[in-house]
């Protein structure tokens, strides 16, 4: 299904070769100032063709709000948003008629639907994410107004080149406390906030481009200023919803929150986050944040942070020995130039999906807060 | 919310100090042979007190089917299942009245609900998973009948002691092809199929027990014989649903499918899974399975495999410096003996949640298969 | 599916010949005082065997809360409730093995599930409604605390005997303004608040009992003190949810709100409800209430009122010419004594389903109210 | 929420004064031939300005498929459809700035959302139904291919003028067996299949138009050739879903299926539908169809039939004494010419919503059929 969320809910549509892509966002609070200028920046960050590191196709990706907004104020009714498909050039993919591209969704879409879309994997196209990013822009604006929630994602690894992500290292936690989108974008399209590492990452990407190959990466994301109490026991724990959201992004292969995979070898006595009273805010806080901002699936007021690995792009220019749909061995060579590393473009998508999860969890909890306040 | 799934759907209830825990399973196919004996084995595997490695509390955990089954056949109506709470001993937790236990859900439940359950974190209790395991037993039986689907989870890491999980190592793939539950259980409660590693894991756990500490681990799970076409673009990709399910298990901190975090440094030319015709089955298959059994979020007929890290148990016998709910610094010491490593007990829970995801995805796809077959 | 509601959500289970029937209620506000004594009264009103007008079977129907409540306070976690099946006597129905009972669900359940429950229509059994009534008790208590919401249903018609339900008659509107459950129950089990009409209704029922036949009736229900703004455009209008709820009750055949079917012949100039300022409350109100308390699917603060017809009971003691499952003509005679009119027993079920709809709509709207309050 | 359905699912958007209205339809079977020509006819039937009986505004309402279809075949992915808003003329409604129009949704939308859309009742606008009718066109096409399902609605009452709807009259049942859309449309826009009654209805409408007033009506709808087994116990009974759908249509005030409100005074012995073997089809059928095609909420293979009352249009040209939002008494006079009876235009909307309910129920049941077929 193409719907995500319960109260703050997005339904997306569109594949790469149809008239338009977009979404309907339901459950947007009424009376919120909103224009296309709130939505466009993240769409522009998501767009291919931003630098020589990415694919040279030029897509305009201008969002048009269709409904739910009058005089720049949301009505509380569904907001439909459309982005026209302009530069699709379906002819480029003709060989696909014979070959399911390895590690693309061509084969599985064919198995699932019994029909081949001209783009092969229909909704597996990266263009599907436009609707998500547009919806995320609204969710982010709402979250910002609630409690100045900040969501910042960055590239923490490309191939073998990585930033230190040791969860219990104060330097890493300091980075999470201070990183901004401006900082992330300041070094360029690579979107890694460490100048030296970023430079090595660019070289890594160029190396694989030279080999007509591709390479993956990891995106790390932090959420600051989130209220406590978000996340629904027991199946819709906040980290469960975030994991769901992240694994729904094309090419993602995992998720870890807080100490994640590293944490399993740290004993409980060190892993536990002890409490202290924060005199400034008068709130109970934790001295460490190995949990990554949730306990029992519920936000505890500390930073939420998590990482998501993205596999190497499946479309490569070099030849691949594979088989046709009919099972005949052969060699597939993708035409045209291809983006050797899409991880930097995943940044606004990760941020958008995070915002969608949080806006939904917040609305659900606020309904409970009301109920709490009236019963006895 | 305490409901998981769309068609094959479980709703669980219960915390550790109430009369019973259990679930209602809706959408179970009618006419399926089912008795409590189909459900009990995994509940027994989940139960604490199975060995000296685990907590010494004795829980009986006998499931009682309430509805939806007559003469050992499912009616197609909701199946309610109950497990009585017998050995709860609420007094053990009295100090909790003052202290939110570090890295437990006491604090967040209090923030969310504004009320303290006598167990602290209410539904964050491990007993909540009983309903999941009971429901999973039904899902597994159904999947087995559909296409002999096999789901096997095992402990692949405890603390620093780990089995080799190199995704593109033929030995690891061979293990995934051949591992059985019998093999997993044969070495004992540790549930690691490698005798040598298992022995080291036991020592690792004993070490932390001796230190009144706890230690985490990783569970790896494989699904074999799953039909192609399962998983719903674009938000309910099969891996997204699995990630959601896994991160909803208490103490889990992550998820990776196929190449996961490792895969980001393998270039596309090596990461892509090329196709070949499998003469024996007449099906198009992939030579490698770096994808972990899905492409574009849809099952491709290869093994699904994934890993889930579980953090070190938060309840430890040693003293912890922390603060009370009121913000006063103090020292919390948990009474009684505690399980230093719960990862082995997570095995049947991981298997159950996997079965629930797959049964639901299968029913959804089968409805589409029908529709495909009648239109033109 | 056996789940109703989005936030305040009930999942029911059980048929007439299994161990127990009951439900899980999710989304109950935390911190609310709740005991079995809050639930039992409506279950007792629902119970068969209350008078000679109803079936002589004696069912005890004592509810047992399993979870979600400690020290008489709700925890905010799912509340499971169980009512044991004691007096089922499955042998009574043996002829059903050959005959699908006319206008029962035996045939359709058999078509749907391919299996015959020993009660014939499985979940079509009236015992299924126990879970609804139990859940409704919680919803009602919540609504009462929010704004003293009052829900009162009564029998307005049995067979040809009817109270005047002319929607725009001030006497009828006065009745709606003043009717209480005490008044409804004061005349006896017939649950019609008009003494004279009630007396005729009893005679009507006795007439059909004497003929070994059955007769239907109409239930009218009013909701007072409901806040404005409840109901979700465009598909989950408040009246749409109420209609859904009412038509889900066994034997109901319709629904009308406000002017209903009568209203179509009243021109707009008379049907429209003009506004005036109510000086006492300072609220804009309507002079008439032909709309029945909603406009555009959203509550306007006036009384919600609606009526629901219940068909004559399908189980009758006289012989019926019909056919077996195999298609052989024959005569079916139900054994035992049967309730000739179940409409009075539908009263607490109608009230419960109404409460469930309203509690859910209220929680949804309160989440929006919060959102409205923070954005600009 | 603006989403309807579980598997065959439509999400609509748009109000009367935004750029476009439309919908996303998810769960459409792949491989189905589909063009805009399949969708447009019902949209054209829904369109205002079809005859002098309706409003003179000319709307073009051309649907544009955005996605999910290639080379006239559905891909199985979401189908977005857009209809541009061309002739909205928002200035006509200026007086609304002061007055909430009686029995319109202006007041309740204002209460719910705290913001006034320029159309007053935002999504309560009849234009919202365009998305429903477009989606219904796809659902109908699918149902036709499954088992030649036929859905025909007609106007059975306008004001006091009515066709005989006696449910157990063979003439009425014959009408339900034979009525076609061609027949319904043949007499003109009034959409009543009885020439004499239709003529009186037109006079009735003209009478109220002359009085600058409006009048309501009843739509009756029949579904033929529906498979058995559709409808989900216990909350999503087929009639519950239909009632939900019908009451979600603007201006509808009720629903009755089969014998409905009439049936309550017919004793069980006459109301019950006895079975017989239909030699022609080899199926068990019922001699009468007082149930209206379902038992226990599940389709039994007989005709589904139901009626829906639509209140008199709230917008009338004559002056109305009412109050402003601020509570000041005054007189509101709507400008322009208005449609005195919209019941005929409700026909395609009733048909569309019916199709959406049935397509969803069918897909759900087919998934169960599969499951039944593999278990033992």
């Amino acid at each position: 299904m193409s719907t995500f969320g319960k109260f703050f809910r997005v339904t997306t549509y569109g594949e790469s070769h149809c008239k338009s892509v977009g979404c309907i966002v339901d459950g947007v609070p009424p009376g919120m100032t909103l224009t296309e200028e709130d939505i466009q920046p993240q769409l522009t960050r998501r767009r291919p063709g931003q630098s020589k590191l990415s694919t040279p196709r030029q897509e305009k990706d201008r969002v048009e709000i269709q409904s739910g907004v009058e005089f720049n104020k949301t009505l509380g009714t569904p907001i439909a948003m459309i982005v026209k498909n302009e530069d699709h050039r379906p002819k480029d993919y003709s060989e696909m008629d014979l070959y399911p591209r390895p590690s693309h969704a061509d084969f599985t879409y064919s198995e699932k639907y019994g029909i081949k879309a001209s783009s092969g994997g229909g909704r597996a196209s990266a263009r599907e994410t436009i609707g998500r990013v547009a919806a995320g822009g609204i969710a982010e604006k709402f979250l910002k107004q609630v409690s100045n929630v900040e969501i910042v994602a960055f590239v923490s690894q490309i191939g073998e080149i990585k930033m230190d992500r040791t969860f219990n290292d104060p330097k890493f936690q300091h980075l999470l406390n201070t990183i901004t989108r401006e900082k992330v974008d300041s070094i360029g399209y690579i979107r890694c906030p460490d100048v030296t590492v970023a430079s090595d990452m660019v070289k890594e990407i160029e190396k694989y481009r030279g080999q007509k190959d591709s390479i993956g990466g990891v995106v790390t994301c932090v959420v600051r200023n989130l209220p406590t109490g978000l996340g629904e026991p027991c199946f819709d724990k906040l980290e469960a919803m975030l994991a769901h959201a992240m694994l729904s992004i094309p090419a993602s292969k995992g998720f870890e929150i807080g100490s994640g995979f590293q944490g399993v070898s740290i004993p409980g006595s060190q892993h536990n986050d002890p409490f202290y009273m924060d005199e400034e805010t008068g709130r109970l806080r934790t001295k460490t944040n190995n949990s990554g901002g949730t306990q029992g699936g519920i936000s505890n007021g500390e930073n939420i942070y998590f990482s998501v690995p993205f596999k190497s792009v499946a479309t490569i220019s070099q030849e691949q020995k594979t088989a046709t749909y009919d099972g005949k061995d052969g060699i597939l060579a993708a035409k045209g130039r291809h983006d050797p590393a899409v991880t930097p473009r995943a940044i606004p998508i990760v941020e958008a999906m995070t915002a969608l999860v949080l806006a939904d969890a917040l609305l659900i909890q606020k309904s409970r807060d009301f109920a709490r306040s009236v019963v006895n």
Side-chain angles (χ1 to χ4, degrees), chain A:
Chain A
M1 290 292 152
S2 292
T3 297
F4 189 80
K6 290 184 176 62
F7 266 22
F8 196 104
R9 180 147 72 166
V10 60
T11 302
T12 66
Y13 76 90
E15 34 277 319
S16 50
H17 298 84
C18 64
K19 279 196 186 170
S20 66
V21 297
C23 65
I24 299 176
V25 190
D26 210 355
V28 178
M32 185 167 82
T33 305
L34 188 78
T35 72
E36 284 147 357
E37 296 318 300
D38 291 305
I39 312 298
Q40 192 61 47
Q42 287 288 76
L43 282 177
T44 299
R45 281 179 104 207
R46 193 215 69 93
R47 205 174 57 185
Q50 298 170 62
S51 84
K52 61 175 183 160
L53 289 179
S54 72
T55 167
R57 285 185 296 157
Q58 281 296 342
E59 297 179 79
K60 300 227 184 58
D61 291 353
R62 297 298 308 178
V63 67
E64 299 169 36
I65 294 176
Q66 298 295 306
S67 66
V69 179
E70 281 191 358
F71 308 113
N72 299 341
K73 288 277 183 189
T74 56
L75 297 173
T77 57
I79 299 179
M81 292 184 284
I82 286 179
V83 171
K84 294 207 179 83
N85 278 336
E86 294 182 345
D87 180 24
H88 41 72
R89 289 185 295 183
K91 299 298 182 227
D92 268 6
Y93 295 99
S94 60
E95 199 146 8
M96 195 198 60
D97 295 348
L98 297 174
Y99 289 95
R101 289 167 297 169
S103 291
H104 269 272
D106 303 353
F107 172 68
T108 52
Y109 267 69
S110 173
E111 288 287 298
K112 185 173 193 70
Y113 296 113
I115 187 169
K116 275 183 276 183
S118 70
S119 57
R123 295 274 286 163
S125 155
R127 279 196 79 74
E128 175 272 325
T129 61
I130 286 178
R132 303 174 182 228
V133 173
I138 302 178
E140 275 204 76
K141 181 148 193 181
F142 170 55
L143 290 164
K144 202 133 233 169
Q145 300 201 8
V146 170
S147 65
N148 195 30
V149 174
E150 295 172 338
I151 303 168
V152 185
F154 54 94
V155 175
S156 62
Q157 183 173 348
I158 293 287
E160 303 279 3
I161 311 301
K162 64 175 91 170
M163 295 174 67
D164 188 355
R165 293 197 304 266
T166 306
F167 70 93
N168 50 6
D169 180 333
K171 270 186 291 186
F172 180 64
Q173 293 294 331
H174 176 72
L175 176 72
L176 298 180
N177 278 325
T178 54
I179 187 84
T180 62
R181 286 197 192 162
E182 292 65 36
K183 175 75 181 162
V184 168
D185 283 353
S186 66
I187 298 177
Y189 168 73
I190 190 70
R191 290 181 182 143
C192 168
D194 181 310
V195 184
T196 314
V197 176
S199 165
D200 288 347
M201 285 176 173
V202 171
K203 284 179 204 145
E204 183 87 344
I205 295 177
E206 290 306 334
K207 179 180 84 179
Y208 286 105
R209 182 196 305 280
Q211 297 167 2
K212 295 188 175 180
D213 212 334
S214 67
I215 193 67
V218 173
V219 171
T220 296
C221 182
V222 63
V223 179
R224 293 187 294 257
N225 304 331
L226 195 68
T228 61
L230 275 57
E232 294 297 298
C234 53
F235 292 114
D236 292 347
K237 292 184 164 75
L238 198 59
E239 57 265 39
M241 294 310 302
L242 287 169
H244 184 149
M246 293 308 132
L247 269 294
S248 80
I249 301 175
S252 71
K253 300 300 287 182
F255 172 86
E256 62 177 0
I257 186 166
S259 62
F261 281 89
Q262 296 171 51
V264 304
S265 54
I266 310 295
S269 59
Q270 295 169 45
H271 194 282
N272 282 355
D273 297 314
F275 291 97
Y276 74 100
M277 174 56 67
D278 181 43
E279 300 300 338
E280 202 179 326
T281 60
R283 290 198 303 115
L284 209 58
R285 296 195 50 189
T286 63
K287 292 176 200 169
T288 52
N289 182 15
N290 300 328
S291 299
T294 72
Q295 267 129 10
I298 303 168
S299 63
N300 66 355
E302 304 302 317
N303 291 344
I304 307 271
Y305 63 95
F306 56 87
S307 292
V308 183
F310 289 88
K311 67 170 187 174
S312 302
V313 183
T315 305
I316 52 177
S317 305
Q318 61 178 265
E319 295 183 339
Q320 297 180 80
K321 284 191 189 176
T322 184
T324 62
Y325 281 102
D326 293 339
K328 298 207 179 79
D329 289 347
I331 288 171
L332 174 68
K335 287 173 192 156
R337 295 167 60 191
H338 297 284
D339 201 342
V342 294
T343 310
R345 281 182 60 204
I347 295 296
I349 306 171
V350 165
E351 291 168 340
M353 291 307 299
T354 302
L356 290 171
V357 166
L358 300 177
D360 200 33
L362 182 72
L363 287 178
I364 292 172
Q365 177 60 9
K366 284 303 168 179
S367 134
R368 183 177 293 104
D369 282 351
F370 157 77
R372 266 171 63 177
S373 73
V374 295
V375 301
N376 58 69

